[in-house]
Amino acid sequence: MKDMDIVEVSRRTGVPASTLRYYEEKGLIASIGRRGLRRLFDPAILERLAMIALGRAGGFALDEISAMLTPDGLPKMDQRRLDAKANELDNTIRRLTAIREALRHAARCPAARPMECPTFRRAVRLAGAGRFEVAPIGPFKAEVVSVTGRKRKSGDVSPE
Amino acid sequence: MKDMDIVEVSRRTGVPASTLRYYEEKGLIASIGRRGLRRLFDPAILERLAMIALGRAGGFALDEISAMLTPDGLPKMDQRRLDAKANELDNTIRRLTAIREALRHAARCPAARPMECPTFRRAVRLAGAGRFEVAPIGPFKAEVVSVTGRKRKSGDVSPE
DNA sequence: CTACGAGTTCAAGCCGACTTGAGGTCAAGC
DNA sequence: GCTTGACCTCAAGTCGGCTTGAACTCGTAG
């Protein structure tokens, strides 16, 4: 297939030309020449953009993505790193799942104060927001107890 | 329990005082008075902050979160809206799951060009990246854990 | 050959969620 | 009563990922 100019790439991928230029500037993609001023791309750019989109959809930063892709367009990086990324996502997914359950539950749980509901509290905890552990509360106003005042600053990783 | 000043809230939740002030400014939380200049909060603030953290962990914008919480701290919003949010998360989760699979697969699939591998392509497609549409996930990235903690280098992705 | 339109460059702007810095104020300790 | 130091306010800065605007340059139609 013939080279594609930036407009065609944009049209076929939905990625705005400004974004393509930006990606090029960042080194995520490379044009293979110009026609006049106009950038030309190898059709393989489409795959590469798909990879980038994949990474973006996965919540990865552009820098991370470029670290995952070889300049040649192949997504090879060492297996350990890919697995690490997959595990990150795994944690995220678990958290989101808990939150989803919390929302679904909140939608129909009749408890006046959701924090009184064990299901909800569990979701909060799983969500990683559980550092504000709220004690099972009695008849009165919620009494909050036992929160470790510890501030986390290191890159600790998701709950369990 | 007695009112807590901002420092105590911060200590017990890990949320920086600057963030608490910011949240107050945005109307997400409210202080109930001052001691000198120092803000005082009702202990229920802890629950409210937990809710906010939950929302943030779910990828919701602060504005959305404040729309979900009544001024009184209860998370009530209509069931439809909560369900809608849950469904949003569901989609996100599905996408992320596909991406995770793609990563895991890429880690060990020997195909020179991953796009030639049906498994990978399927993941790309499911991820929504096949149409090159980069669907944003929440404002945290995969590795962000410290929802309420110190600022990580979270590459926020704009909300939809 | 010239005008035009669509691309190009570079710098600046935007958005969300905060953080940081300068300068102000106040309760508490001596 | 005065100092101190912790919080206060307000404005500005940061970061990622782009977008936008002004000024410019070509290839192409006429």
Side-chain angles (χ1 to χ4, degrees):
Chain A
M1 195 201 274
K2 190 76 176 54
D3 301 339
M4 306 184 331
D5 73 11
I6 192 173
V7 182
E8 189 173 357
V9 174
S10 178
R11 190 180 54 71
R12 295 178 62 141
T13 61
V15 177
S18 63
T19 302
L20 294 173
R21 281 188 285 266
Y22 176 70
Y23 283 178
E24 183 177 33
E25 192 185 356
K26 291 218 79 178
L28 273 125
I29 62 178
S31 53
I32 56 174
R34 300 279 178 127
R35 180 164 59 235
L37 288 184
R38 195 169 299 193
R39 284 164 180 78
L40 295 177
F41 293 93
D42 185 298
I45 190 73
L46 299 185
E47 272 184 20
R48 191 164 176 96
L49 286 171
M51 301 289 195
I52 293 171
L54 183 67
R56 295 286 297 118
F60 301 114
L62 294 183
D63 285 352
E64 289 179 298
I65 294 171
S66 69
M68 294 192 225
L69 300 177
T70 71
D72 299 333
L74 307 183
K76 267 319 164 212
M77 63 190 300
D78 58 303
Q79 185 164 329
R80 296 205 311 89
R81 199 145 153 60
L82 282 173
D83 275 332
K85 284 300 178 189
N87 291 339
E88 264 178 40
L89 275 183
D90 236 20
N91 289 330
T92 300
I93 289 168
R94 267 198 289 277
R95 255 182 327 104
L96 292 183
T97 301
I99 293 167
R100 182 196 55 192
E101 290 318 308
L103 289 182
R104 286 215 197 294
H105 186 79
R108 53 190 56 67
C109 176
R113 321 195 66 195
M115 283 312 252
E116 286 169 8
C117 167
T119 304
F120 193 83
R121 281 215 312 281
R122 177 169 174 283
V124 171
R125 186 167 42 73
L126 283 179
R131 271 164 297 143
F132 313 88
E133 228 175 298
V134 176
I137 31 183
F140 316 138
K141 246 195 161 344
E143 171 154 357
V144 181
V145 296
S146 83
V147 177
T148 64
R150 122 195 104 102
K151 242 180 168 171
R152 44 176 65 190
K153 39 187 52 181
S154 62
D156 40 12
V157 184
S158 272
E160 47 252 56
Chain B
M1 195 204 265
K2 191 74 178 58
D3 301 339
M4 306 184 334
D5 72 11
I6 192 172
V7 182
E8 189 173 357
V9 174
S10 177
R11 190 182 53 74
R12 295 177 63 142
T13 61
V15 177
S18 64
T19 302
L20 294 172
R21 282 189 284 267
Y22 175 70
Y23 281 179
E24 183 177 32
E25 193 185 358
K26 290 217 80 179
L28 272 128
I29 62 177
S31 54
I32 56 173
R34 299 280 177 126
R35 182 165 57 235
L37 288 184
R38 196 169 297 193
R39 286 165 178 76
L40 295 177
F41 293 94
D42 184 297
I45 190 73
L46 299 185
E47 272 185 20
R48 192 164 176 95
L49 285 171
M51 300 288 195
I52 293 173
L54 182 67
R56 294 286 298 119
F60 301 114
L62 293 183
D63 284 352
E64 289 181 298
I65 294 171
S66 68
M68 294 191 223
L69 299 177
T70 70
D72 300 333
L74 309 182
K76 265 319 164 211
M77 64 191 300
D78 58 302
Q79 184 165 330
R80 294 207 311 91
R81 200 146 153 58
L82 282 173
D83 276 330
K85 284 300 176 191
N87 291 338
E88 261 177 44
L89 275 184
D90 234 21
N91 290 331
T92 300
I93 289 168
R94 267 197 288 277
R95 257 185 320 108
L96 293 183
T97 302
I99 293 167
R100 182 197 55 192
E101 290 319 308
L103 289 181
R104 287 215 197 293
H105 186 79
R108 55 190 55 68
C109 175
R113 321 195 64 193
M115 284 310 256
E116 286 169 8
C117 168
T119 303
F120 193 83
R121 278 216 314 282
R122 177 168 175 283
V124 171
R125 187 166 42 72
L126 282 179
R131 303 177 346 271
F132 301 94
E133 277 180 17
V134 185
I137 70 168
F140 54 84
K141 42 194 277 188
E143 75 184 15
V144 166
V145 160
S146 180
V147 175
T148 58
R150 311 232 357 112
K151 162 151 195 177
R152 335 222 72 238
K153 53 163 201 172
S154 65
D156 286 12
V157 177
S158 51
E160 18 209 53

